[in-house]
Amino acid sequence: MKAKSSIRILMGLSFLISDLNAQALTRQEVRDTMQHIPWFTIHKDNYFITGVPSNKPINSSTANTKYQISFKQIITRSMLPWETYLYLTYSQKAFWDIYKDSYPFKEINFNPTIGIGKAFYDSDDRIKGLASLVFEHESNGRDSIFSRSWNRLSLQYSTLLSEKTMLHVKAWLPYGYKSGNPDLIDYVGLGEVSLSHDFIRDRLIFEVKLRKGLSNDFKGMIRSRLHYRPFKHSSNQYIMLEWFSGHTENLINYEQYHSMLRIGYVIKTNEFDILKRNRKRP
């Protein structure tokens, strides 16, 4: 009886996996989609959130606002060799002390990139993941002792683990960072892992990102986000609750530990929705 039950379970899992793959876009459908998506789009989430620390007294110096703007420009729709495409991105993240009298900006981080993207397919010629190879520069645009910057060559791969769960794995080769922040890699490490799960498709989404520095202690960070879309007709507009704990939330104080709880408004990216196309909805 146990053997028969095991066989039924294996057959059920096999059917589930094949059914999931059957819902993915074909190679030709991906090509057609690439020809119709806008040239200029959102890259990372664009948001405006505010909050307080969870590990220190709350006052006008410790509470703040964080916002991000991020966009992507496709340079060519025509497939380059190996079915790749070329694009530019720009992201800007700011930390704004709006609870102080003069509303000063504490830190602004700039992140321009140029990259090559490629879709990968399974044996049935249906999309199973998206990869990108990107040159990135990140800095705070300041000079002298306040200058913080680094360059990296990044490789990222994104895929669905299940119908509602997506995995992003990113690794980088850093260089050009030792002059202003020689121990930065002890805090940012050589990569990060992100997971997102749709509790309710396009309505309630949980995300978590993990990063571990190269040092032997607990340098690194965890960032979790809960997104809720309150209005049915605002397809990409959400209320976001974020908890950040760790290092390198910004560049100027990358070596300092922060624990912040923030809430606010976000316009979510749909950059990876191509992996979800034609999937069954809950």
Side-chain angles (χ1 to χ4, degrees):
M1 293 296 292
K2 291 183 178 180
K4 290 183 179 180
S5 298
S6 299
I7 292 173
R8 291 193 188 99
I9 292 172
L10 291 173
M11 290 179 63
L13 288 174
S14 176
F15 176 79
L16 177 63
I17 293 172
S18 62
D19 182 64
L20 181 63
N21 290 336
Q23 300 297 320
L25 295 181
T26 65
R27 186 185 300 264
Q28 186 57 52
E29 288 171 333
V30 170
R31 290 173 177 170
D32 293 341
T33 300
M34 284 296 300
Q35 296 303 313
H36 292 92
I37 62 175
W39 290 93
F40 187 81
T41 61
I42 294 174
H43 177 45
K44 301 177 183 177
D45 291 346
N46 288 253
Y47 57 77
F48 187 96
I49 56 178
T50 186
V52 298
S54 60
N55 65 327
K56 60 181 67 174
I58 298 172
N59 53 53
S60 61
S61 296
T62 58
N64 67 11
T65 287
K66 180 173 70 169
Y67 70 82
Q68 177 171 275
I69 56 173
S70 181
F71 57 81
K72 177 179 181 178
Q73 173 68 45
I74 296 176
I75 298 177
T76 173
R77 292 186 189 276
S78 302
M79 292 296 181
L80 299 176
W82 304 294
E83 294 187 306
T84 59
Y85 65 95
L86 188 64
Y87 62 89
L88 296 168
T89 73
Y90 175 79
S91 301
Q92 180 176 311
K93 182 171 60 176
F95 296 84
W96 191 5
D97 290 334
I98 63 170
Y99 302 106
K100 291 184 177 180
D101 291 339
S102 59
Y103 312 111
F105 280 89
K106 181 177 183 179
E107 173 81 341
I108 302 177
N109 295 158
F110 309 92
N111 181 210
T113 79
I114 182 169
I116 295 175
K118 177 178 174 57
F120 285 85
Y121 303 88
D122 61 18
S123 58
D124 295 323
D125 217 27
R126 293 184 177 274
I127 189 170
K128 67 176 182 179
L130 294 172
S132 59
L133 181 64
V134 183
F135 166 75
E136 299 189 61
H137 170 76
E138 188 173 8
S139 71
N140 63 355
R142 303 171 72 175
D143 58 9
S144 69
I145 63 172
F146 302 106
S147 175
R148 303 287 186 274
S149 68
W150 66 309
N151 302 306
R152 58 194 182 269
L153 187 65
S154 302
L155 180 64
Q156 177 170 309
Y157 183 74
S158 302
T159 187
L160 285 180
L161 297 181
S162 71
E163 189 176 326
K164 295 183 178 182
T165 305
M166 187 176 295
L167 171 69
H168 306 277
V169 179
K170 185 176 183 180
W172 49 70
L173 180 64
Y175 65 95
Y177 62 90
K178 294 187 177 181
S179 59
N181 27 251
D183 60 345
L184 179 65
I185 306 306
D186 289 341
Y187 295 86
V188 299
L190 296 177
E192 61 188 24
V193 177
S194 304
L195 277 172
S196 65
H197 180 78
D198 292 18
F199 288 104
I200 303 175
R201 178 73 180 272
D202 299 329
R203 193 71 183 269
L204 184 63
I205 305 169
F206 176 75
E207 299 175 358
V208 62
K209 177 183 288 187
L210 300 171
R211 185 187 293 169
K212 174 66 177 69
L214 286 187
S215 61
N216 294 325
D217 52 19
F218 295 100
K219 295 183 177 70
M221 69 88 167
I222 178 172
R223 190 199 70 196
S224 58
R225 289 174 172 174
L226 185 65
H227 300 87
Y228 174 68
R229 181 166 61 92
F231 308 111
K232 291 184 178 180
H233 301 294
S234 57
S235 60
N236 65 342
Q237 299 179 60
Y238 290 76
I239 301 298
M240 181 174 75
L241 178 66
E242 178 190 85
W243 175 59
F244 179 95
S245 177
H247 305 86
T248 67
E249 186 179 28
N250 59 48
L251 287 177
I252 191 65
N253 296 321
Y254 67 87
E255 76 285 0
Q256 295 182 11
Y257 173 83
H258 294 92
S259 180
M260 296 291 296
L261 187 64
R262 300 185 179 97
I263 190 170
Y265 169 77
V266 59
I267 303 173
K268 279 193 63 60
T269 178
N270 61 357
E271 188 171 7
F272 298 101
D273 280 4
I274 193 171
L275 294 173
K276 300 179 180 180
R277 298 285 179 87
N278 293 347
R279 302 285 182 183
K280 292 181 179 179
R281 292 182 175 269

